[in-house]
């Protein structure tokens, strides 16, 4: 039911926007599209808010854009929320430099926490299922997190064709705690009541008790990362690439004097490739990504992220990495993942002078931890209950694009292994890559 409601909502919004801009030219600043952020979750309550894009097409950039601004504001009745502003300028100060800035404040009352190192950490869905005889708490695999995240990056051309240099800065400030059962229990009764988190009924508190999570990191901290690397890009366009390569690799360093959680270096490398099968309507594409800590010591709260040159996402697991797998299920000191996707534009038309297309996609996602986090401590404390292997999912997607750049995506993915959950349905903006 939710799937069809989402589709209906997309169509209504797109038709409204098209009619509102019937005679608009595709030059200068234009409203790109908007989507109400409405959902319900028994732990977070009702979600309400909105997200949207505006684009500057300049004089002759369409279907590309010169600048874009993305804004999202949403809240839930239990206190979780997203406050996000992204500015992307492909002609910074009218030069060939590209500037991206992403400011984000996230509050999560029930953020997924399944331990470390993928299948080495056993997941038992019955523990958090109130209808199971093995039930302990719905908050067993959960933590509370408040996160300030600021990313800014600059890239420019080198003397080698299609090769760009890249520098960036990411600041993160985490505040971590066990879930606040008092707030989460408001309006609940009977089996829906969450017990007060203790070392017996919350995995995060268990890890603190057994020394897996140290005292100086258990409540979070601040980390500043300095990034430098290279980007090779031969895509025919960014909105819907039909051929070309987009590859990037960058090193990150987190100096101790720029935060209380720093003192390590890492590498991030990602390869995207696109193959046009039938002109501009059928495309096969894949994304292969690798992350590894190189030196130093990472605090546990810096593990569940996937980086590219423009954004930072939760991962691995969930909407932006392994669609269908539980969010943050696959975290370690080194990991790799692969997404493969077949994209088909089955309708491409104009409404009110504005471009509109509908596309289907079929996908396969797989990823795993390559190097374990604090393996010896986990083994000694008895938390290593399995052997890591590839976490895989497959699914389908529906995509509606207004003027090529504003793309509403509905993805549904199912897991191959119940240790990763069952399935996931995601409504978001933009193609995954």
């Amino acid at each position: 039911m939710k799937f069809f409601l989402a589709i209906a909502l997309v169509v209504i919004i797109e038709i409204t926007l098209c009619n509102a801009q019937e005679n608009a030219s595709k030059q200068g600043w234009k409203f790109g599209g908007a989507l109400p952020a409405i959902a319900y979750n028994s732990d977070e309550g009702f979600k309400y808010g909105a997200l949207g894009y505006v684009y500057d097409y300049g004089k002759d950039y369409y279907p590309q854009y010169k600048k874009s601004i993305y804004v999202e504001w949403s809240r839930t009745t239990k206190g979780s929320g997203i406050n996000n502003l992204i500015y992307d300028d492909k002609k910074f100060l009218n030069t060939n430099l590209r500037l991206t800035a992403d400011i984000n404040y996230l509050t999560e009352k029930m953020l997924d926490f399944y331990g470390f190192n993928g299948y080495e950490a056993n997941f038992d869905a019955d523990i958090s299922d109130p209808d199971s005889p093995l039930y302990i708490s719905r908050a067993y695999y959960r933590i509370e997190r408040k996160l300030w995240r600021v990313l800014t990056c600059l890239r420019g051309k080198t003397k080698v064709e299609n090769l760009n240099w890249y520098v960036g800065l990411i600041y993160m400030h985490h505040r971590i705690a066990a879930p606040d059962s008092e707030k989460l229990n408001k309006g609940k009764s009977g089996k829906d009541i969450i017990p007060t988190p203790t070392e017996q009924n919350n995995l995060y508190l268990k890890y603190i008790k057994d020394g897996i999570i140290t005292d100086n990191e258990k409540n979070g901290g601040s980390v500043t990362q300095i990034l430098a690397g290279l980007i090779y890009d031969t895509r025919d366009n960014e909105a819907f690439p039909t051929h070309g390569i987009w590859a990037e690799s960058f090193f990150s360093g987190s100096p101790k004097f720029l935060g209380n959680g720093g003192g390590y270096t890492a590498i991030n490398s990602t390869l995207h490739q696109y193959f046009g099968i039938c002109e501009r309507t059928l495309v096969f594409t894949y994304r292969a990504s690798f992350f590894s800590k190189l030196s130093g010591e990472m605090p546990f709260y810096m593990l569940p992220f996937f980086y590219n040159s423009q954004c930072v996402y939760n991962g691995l697991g969930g909407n932006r990495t392994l669609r269908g797998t539980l969010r943050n299920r696959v975290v370690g000191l080194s990991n790799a993942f692969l997404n493969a996707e077949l994209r088909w534009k089955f309708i491409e038309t104009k409404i009110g002078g504005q471009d509109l297309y509908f596309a289907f996609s079929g996908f396969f996602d797989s990823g795993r931890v390559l190097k374990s986090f604090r393996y010896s401590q986990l083994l000694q404390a008895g938390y290593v209950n399995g052997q890591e292997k590839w976490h895989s999912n497959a699914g389908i997607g529906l995509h509606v694009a207004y003027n090529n750049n504003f793309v509403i995506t509905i993805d549904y993915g199912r897991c191959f292994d119940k240790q990763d959950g069952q399935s996931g349905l995601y409504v978001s903006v933009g193609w995954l890559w």
Side-chain angles (χ1 to χ4, degrees):
M1 183 64 179
K2 291 180 180 178
F3 183 78
F4 292 106
L5 286 174
I7 295 175
L9 179 62
V10 167
V11 173
I12 291 170
I13 290 170
E14 296 304 327
I15 292 175
T16 301
L17 291 173
C18 289
N19 290 335
Q21 297 192 31
E22 182 174 355
N23 298 314
S25 63
K26 300 180 183 70
Q27 295 186 10
W29 284 100
K30 300 298 176 185
F31 179 63
L35 181 68
I38 301 173
Y40 178 76
N41 179 282
S42 60
D43 292 313
E44 296 182 347
F46 285 98
K47 180 179 181 180
Y48 54 92
L51 56 86
Y53 267 105
V54 291
Y55 297 99
D56 177 10
Y57 291 112
K59 290 186 178 181
D60 54 2
Y61 283 87
Y62 186 82
Q64 306 298 316
Y65 62 84
K66 184 179 179 181
K67 301 174 185 177
S68 73
I69 298 174
Y70 171 82
V71 179
E72 178 175 355
W73 180 91
S74 63
R75 291 289 184 275
T76 74
T77 53
K78 294 296 184 179
S80 298
I82 298 174
N83 309 269
N84 193 196
L85 172 65
I86 302 175
Y87 174 73
D88 187 18
D89 187 345
K90 296 182 179 180
K91 291 290 182 179
F92 181 56
L93 299 178
N94 292 319
T95 68
N96 287 325
L97 298 177
R98 181 171 183 174
L99 173 72
T100 301
D102 182 352
I103 302 173
N104 213 329
Y105 178 60
L106 304 170
T107 59
E108 303 246 19
K109 295 297 183 183
M110 294 278 277
L111 179 67
D112 305 65
F113 178 77
Y114 301 101
F116 309 121
N117 311 323
Y119 289 131
E120 288 181 4
N122 183 64
F123 166 69
D124 187 347
D126 290 334
I127 287 177
S128 53
D129 181 1
D131 295 323
S132 169
L134 301 178
Y135 174 68
I136 296 177
S137 171
R138 285 190 295 114
Y140 184 86
Y141 294 111
R142 297 290 187 268
I143 60 174
E144 179 180 291
R145 184 185 71 182
K146 295 179 180 179
L147 172 62
W148 270 105
R149 187 177 69 215
V150 180
L151 177 150
T152 182
C153 63
L154 194 67
R155 73 190 77 177
K157 296 181 179 180
T158 69
K159 293 183 179 181
V160 179
E161 186 178 7
N162 300 315
L163 185 66
N164 295 269
W165 54 262
Y166 169 89
V167 294
L169 190 72
I170 302 176
Y171 170 79
M172 294 187 184
H173 178 71
H174 303 252
R175 291 179 61 187
I176 309 291
D180 188 335
S181 58
E182 183 177 348
K183 288 184 178 180
L184 292 169
N185 286 333
K186 287 183 178 179
K188 301 286 180 64
S189 61
K191 64 182 180 181
D192 292 329
I193 293 292
I194 296 174
T196 301
T198 66
E199 298 165 354
Q200 285 71 45
N201 62 27
N202 182 264
L203 184 62
Y204 160 74
L205 294 179
K206 282 187 175 184
Y207 274 30
I208 293 174
K209 169 182 171 291
D210 292 326
I212 310 301
I213 295 175
T214 62
D215 287 339
N216 63 353
E217 65 179 346
K218 65 181 181 182
N219 297 321
S222 298
V223 175
T224 301
Q225 299 178 80
I226 301 171
L227 314 173
L230 295 171
I231 301 173
Y232 180 73
D233 192 350
T234 64
R235 289 174 292 174
D236 54 337
N237 68 85
E238 290 188 23
F240 188 83
T242 60
H243 63 266
I245 292 174
W246 168 23
E248 56 185 40
S249 184
F250 54 91
F251 293 93
S252 61
S254 177
K256 286 185 177 180
F257 64 87
L258 292 180
N260 57 5
Y264 63 90
T265 61
I267 185 172
N268 300 262
S269 297
T270 303
L271 171 65
H272 317 72
Q273 194 166 8
Y274 306 84
F275 303 90
I277 300 173
C278 184
E279 296 183 353
R280 291 181 50 82
T281 59
L282 187 63
V283 177
F284 172 76
T285 176
Y286 69 86
R287 173 177 67 176
S289 186
F290 169 77
F291 166 83
S292 181
K293 188 208 76 170
L294 297 177
S295 65
E297 180 71 16
M298 290 182 70
F300 86 96
Y301 51 80
M302 289 301 297
L303 294 178
F305 294 102
F306 160 61
Y307 302 83
N308 66 23
S309 56
Q310 293 178 286
C311 299
V312 181
Y313 302 113
N314 284 312
L316 300 179
N319 183 26
R320 292 292 175 176
T321 51
L322 306 178
R323 290 160 287 185
T325 292
L326 296 165
R327 184 170 57 155
N328 299 340
R329 177 70 176 103
V330 188
V331 295
L333 287 179
S334 176
N335 59 58
F337 71 93
L338 170 72
N339 309 114
E341 194 163 280
L342 186 65
R343 301 171 177 176
W344 173 43
K345 280 186 182 180
F346 64 94
I347 295 178
E348 194 168 7
T349 186
K350 289 181 181 289
I351 299 180
Q354 308 303 305
D355 293 323
L356 182 70
Y357 75 74
F358 292 78
F360 278 130
S361 63
F363 60 82
F364 170 80
D365 302 335
S366 189
R368 63 164 296 167
V369 172
L370 300 176
K371 185 178 180 180
S372 297
F373 177 74
R374 297 178 184 171
Y375 179 82
S376 59
Q377 296 98 310
L378 288 162
L379 182 64
Q380 185 176 0
Y383 288 107
V384 178
N385 300 306
Q387 185 174 357
E388 177 63 334
K389 57 183 179 180
W390 290 93
H391 306 248
S392 300
N393 323 276
I396 58 174
L398 174 67
H399 314 266
V400 182
Y402 172 71
N403 280 339
N404 290 284
N405 292 294
F406 186 72
V407 183
I408 298 174
T409 292
I410 305 171
D411 280 332
Y412 176 75
R414 289 193 64 88
C415 303
F416 291 2
D417 191 315
K418 65 180 182 179
Q419 277 281 303
D420 293 324
Q422 294 183 346
S423 62
L425 176 65
Y426 314 98
V427 181
S428 57
V429 177
W431 290 94
L432 222 58
W433 68 91

